[in-house]
Amino acid sequence: MSTYLLTGQTLGFIADPFNTPLESAVDYRRYGGVLVRDGKIAAVGEADDLRRAHAGVPVTDYGDGLISAGF
């Protein structure tokens, strides 16, 4: 089982931005994280929270880089 954590700015959509005000449709985190397990997203949240909850997991820190879903 391969598990790793990506950290950086994260951007996700929690509603349709064409039908919802943008501020309500977007989940942006200045220092967020994406936990990947076996090639699938297992968790998304604040980077520090994910680091604590998954200590020992390899981390790739993208600094100010933006992590977002592929389209």
Side-chain angles (χ1 to χ4, degrees):
M1 180 165 83
S2 171
T3 302
Y4 55 92
L5 178 62
L6 307 174
T7 62
Q9 296 183 73
T10 58
L11 175 66
F13 292 90
I14 53 178
D16 183 342
F18 295 104
N19 296 319
T20 305
L22 189 58
E23 59 276 359
S24 299
V26 173
D27 178 23
Y28 168 78
R29 296 169 194 264
R30 174 70 184 93
Y31 188 57
V34 178
L35 183 73
V36 179
R37 183 176 293 125
D38 295 332
K40 297 180 181 177
I41 295 173
V44 176
E46 294 294 331
D48 291 337
D49 294 341
L50 290 170
R51 281 179 182 259
R52 276 191 298 277
H54 303 280
V57 168
V59 176
T60 300
D61 186 350
Y62 288 102
D64 286 336
L66 180 65
I67 302 168
S68 185
F71 297 100

